[in-house]
Amino acid sequence: MTPPARTRFAPSPTGYLHIGAARTALFAWLYARHTGGQFILRIEDTDRKRYVPDALEKIIDGLQWLGLDWDEGPDIGGPHAPYTQSERLPKYQEAADWLVAHGHAYRCYCTPDELAEMREKQQANKEKIGYDRRCRWLTPEERAAKEAEGRSWVVRLAVPTEGDITIDDLIRGPVTFNNAELQDAVLLKADGYPTYHLAVVVDDHDMAITHVIRGEEWISSAPLHVHLYRAFGWEMPLFAHTPSILKPSGKGKISKRDLQTPEGAVIPVMLHLYPEMGYLPEALFNFLSGIGWSLDDHTEIYDRETAIKHFDLKDINPGPARFPAEKLEWMNGVYIRMLSIDELVQRLIPYLSRDLGIPEEALARDQRLRIIAPAIQERLKKLTDAAPLIDFLYADEIDIGDPRLLTPRKTTPEQTVDILTGIIATLEQVESWDEETLETALRGLAQEKGLKAGQVFSPIRQAVTGKKVAPPLFATLVAVGRETSLRRLNDALNLLKRSVREQ
Ligand code: GLU
């Protein structure tokens, strides 16, 4: 048995949640659930300059929508509260002071101008760019003098300048860095706010995180973090850096911009847009889990419980994985088809309400939706596909536009007048308005008149729905109802008659 893990997701509210970050969160969540441990949400909001006011709300909504529930977090608290870094400043201050007092960090008094000048010189002399550690070697007297000048300071980590450091990454194995390549990174800024490096280590330790699971863009920071753990004398968590996601084309990492599929469709990169676009959370969950990880070598569709059961960090492929855009809609369609009719209707209601401007309560009472839902379920790839397919149910009248649209192929308008007249007479007489009766009656009519079925069905479809492509005809007629169907057929007949007369 794997011991219960404590994993965390630590987004910064500097923007909305990127789909790559959501996938990393999903892996961290899966691992916590797989081991029967805890998943923690922590907000890393120490970058005040890049703060986006509504980002946090969108991030939280997105994670909840995806079903990644947390056991401790800013909204629900927990034994290590607060879970928002801006509310934990004294902890970082204390940690920074401790490091300085123990010689693992130092105050740096360099002004922005001095740093800029240092950089220019390094550039001019073709030297390596970076902080030259001039404040690391100051004597106590020199320090006292700087402070007497009233200079403000930042705290920098005094990294070892020789030797190597190896991170045992659970996904990619040992990764070795040369200490000489590392910078004396800033830990605490002049305004008393910590940088990411200090805050992440203090918090991961404080919150008893056992597995630090984050995107591979952070691996270059990992050696600094390991030096910090060593300086504090704290037990090290395990590290797992998840692979980046590549664009659908496989060329380049996905950026902040939307993704283009080879067919030219646009797929959002921000998580909060997926619900708006009619994706199912369980489909996106399945889809995202399959980018860089797989259940086995053939199963594409699996539920959350199955993923939890089989997930392991060591099975994540370290190489970057392509965003398989071509699978997204297909998979969403598979999940739509798995819904019961009641469930499908429930899920469609908010989208229909939004897109057709009908109150949700009215839709919830509308029996026609239950009739039409099984007929359209097959055809839906996204929940947003339903509105344009069934908007005719909610139209007062059908605007046919050009009466020629009522005329089937290889049929004259005059013949169509005759066909429509026959249809109306037949439908007025049917004893019951159900799919089977309607089908038998209309096929009978076609036979009687020596017509192809399509010559009868297509004018009905046009008249009743105003569309060439609509849900299956008989279910459509049942959903629209006898009275409205006949009214629309009569309107269409009149329109066609007028146009024939005018010719
Ligand atoms: N706050 C960092 C981010 O926004 C999290 C990095 C980490 O998980 O350590 O990506």
Side-chain angles (χ1 to χ4, degrees):
M1 266 297 282
T2 327
R6 280 176 65 83
T7 69
R8 80 324 186 258
F9 181 56
S12 295
T14 50
Y16 303 148
L17 199 56
H18 192 268
I19 199 74
R23 199 273 317 250
T24 298
L26 191 149
F27 283 167
W29 181 89
L30 272 175
Y31 194 64
R33 297 290 171 254
H34 172 73
T35 59
Q38 287 98 36
F39 177 64
I40 289 117
L41 178 66
R42 181 174 73 228
I43 305 304
E44 304 204 326
D45 61 344
T46 58
D47 189 347
R48 307 312 285 178
K49 284 197 212 94
R50 291 171 55 222
Y51 187 79
V52 176
D54 65 336
L56 182 57
E57 192 188 318
K58 283 225 166 56
I59 291 171
I60 291 199
D61 287 353
L63 293 171
Q64 279 171 340
W65 174 79
L66 200 53
L68 306 185
D69 56 334
W70 45 96
D71 304 289
E72 298 166 29
D75 50 342
I76 52 171
H80 306 282
Y83 292 88
T84 300
Q85 288 186 332
S86 59
E87 294 167 23
R88 301 169 61 81
L89 300 182
K91 285 184 192 285
Y92 312 123
Q93 183 75 54
E94 197 187 314
D97 289 347
W98 189 92
L99 288 168
V100 173
H102 291 79
H104 300 296
Y106 58 92
R107 288 179 179 178
C108 165
Y109 306 95
C110 295
T111 62
D113 283 347
E114 285 167 343
L115 294 172
E117 195 187 319
M118 177 193 316
R119 211 186 149 81
E120 274 165 32
K121 276 205 189 124
Q122 288 166 338
Q123 266 161 347
N125 300 338
K126 302 221 163 26
E127 286 167 4
K128 224 174 73 196
I129 308 290
Y131 183 59
D132 64 5
R133 302 188 162 115
R134 60 178 71 166
C135 289
R136 183 162 167 177
W137 320 115
L138 295 177
T139 62
E141 294 72 32
E142 287 168 326
R143 277 181 200 288
K146 298 263 188 203
E147 287 185 23
E149 275 176 39
R151 286 206 184 207
S152 61
W153 65 77
V154 300
V155 174
R156 288 185 185 269
L157 178 63
V159 293
T161 51
E162 288 168 359
D164 285 342
I165 180 154
T166 298
I167 317 292
D168 271 318
D169 190 275
L170 291 171
I171 297 172
R172 47 201 78 229
V175 186
T176 299
F177 295 83
N178 190 341
N179 283 331
E181 301 290 320
L182 304 178
Q183 294 281 327
D184 279 4
V186 174
L187 300 176
L188 199 71
K189 294 178 269 188
D191 61 1
Y193 270 75
T195 59
Y196 165 66
H197 303 303
L198 180 63
V200 77
V201 168
V202 167
D203 287 351
D204 283 340
H205 169 73
D206 209 37
M207 297 176 183
I209 300 302
T210 59
H211 293 67
V212 170
I213 301 167
R214 60 186 171 195
E216 76 173 333
E217 66 274 21
W218 297 108
I219 196 152
S220 55
S221 302
L224 292 174
H225 303 169
V226 171
H227 285 309
L228 272 170
Y229 278 100
R230 288 185 184 163
F232 284 121
W234 290 339
E235 194 186 332
M236 201 84 65
L238 296 165
F239 290 97
H241 290 91
T242 59
S244 305
I245 303 183
L246 303 179
K247 291 182 181 148
S249 61
K251 292 191 195 94
K253 287 185 192 169
I254 48 172
S255 58
K256 291 233 171 345
R257 257 177 279 138
D258 290 344
L259 301 166
Q260 291 282 336
T261 70
E263 296 77 34
V266 176
I267 295 180
V269 294
M270 294 301 171
L271 178 67
H272 69 280
L273 296 173
Y274 282 77
E276 284 177 26
M277 290 183 70
Y279 289 100
L280 261 46
E282 55 271 52
L284 194 67
F285 182 100
N286 187 158
F287 175 80
L288 287 179
S289 74
I291 306 180
W293 178 79
S294 56
L295 187 70
D296 52 33
D297 58 5
H298 59 277
T299 313
E300 300 250 44
I301 304 291
Y302 44 83
D303 62 14
R304 265 170 225 270
E305 292 312 313
T306 310
I308 290 173
K309 186 159 172 246
H310 294 275
F311 184 79
D312 202 340
L313 292 170
K314 68 174 169 33
D315 298 330
I316 295 176
N317 191 325
R322 195 179 67 84
F323 185 96
E326 68 287 353
K327 274 194 205 166
L328 182 61
E329 289 203 349
W330 162 76
M331 197 173 273
N332 204 54
V334 170
Y335 276 88
I336 287 179
R337 290 194 288 282
M338 284 198 265
L339 299 175
S340 69
I341 295 304
D342 269 353
E343 181 70 14
L344 176 60
V345 169
Q346 285 313 316
R347 302 245 199 153
L348 286 174
I349 285 175
Y351 293 92
L352 295 171
S353 173
R354 180 190 73 184
D355 297 343
L356 300 177
I358 303 165
E360 291 197 13
E361 310 75 62
L363 291 166
R365 283 193 304 269
D366 185 4
Q367 283 312 313
R368 296 174 306 168
L369 262 186
R370 279 182 180 70
I371 298 170
I372 205 81
I376 60 169
Q377 189 168 25
E378 269 305 307
R379 302 189 182 187
L380 302 179
K381 289 207 169 88
K382 292 183 282 182
L383 295 170
T384 42
D385 294 342
L389 211 52
I390 62 167
D391 53 0
F392 60 83
L393 283 178
Y394 301 97
D396 291 333
E397 276 177 42
I398 298 299
D399 182 12
I400 308 239
D402 185 347
R404 277 173 302 188
L405 291 170
L406 291 161
T407 310
R409 278 193 307 142
K410 296 191 184 149
T411 316
T412 63
E414 289 76 9
Q415 274 176 301
T416 312
V417 166
D418 187 48
I419 296 171
L420 270 169
T421 310
I423 291 167
I424 293 168
T426 306
L427 293 182
E428 273 172 346
Q429 277 161 28
V430 288
E431 271 174 22
S432 106
W433 197 260
D434 58 74
E435 289 185 41
E436 215 185 299
T437 311
L438 293 172
E439 179 162 9
T440 314
L442 292 168
R443 284 192 191 281
L445 175 71
Q447 212 167 21
E448 190 185 305
K449 292 197 175 267
L451 297 165
K452 292 221 169 62
Q455 286 175 292
V456 174
F457 297 168
S458 106
I460 305 180
R461 183 174 297 117
Q462 272 296 342
V464 176
T465 71
K467 298 177 200 295
K468 264 212 156 50
V469 183
L473 187 63
F474 308 111
T476 298
L477 286 173
V478 175
V480 172
R482 184 194 286 254
E483 200 183 315
T484 306
S485 298
L486 281 166
R487 196 183 65 235
R488 289 179 183 179
L489 284 161
N490 275 305
D491 288 348
L493 175 60
N494 291 333
L495 180 77
L496 191 63
K497 275 186 181 161
R498 240 178 295 137
S499 98
V500 169
R501 268 202 308 272
E502 281 163 15
Q503 265 173 10

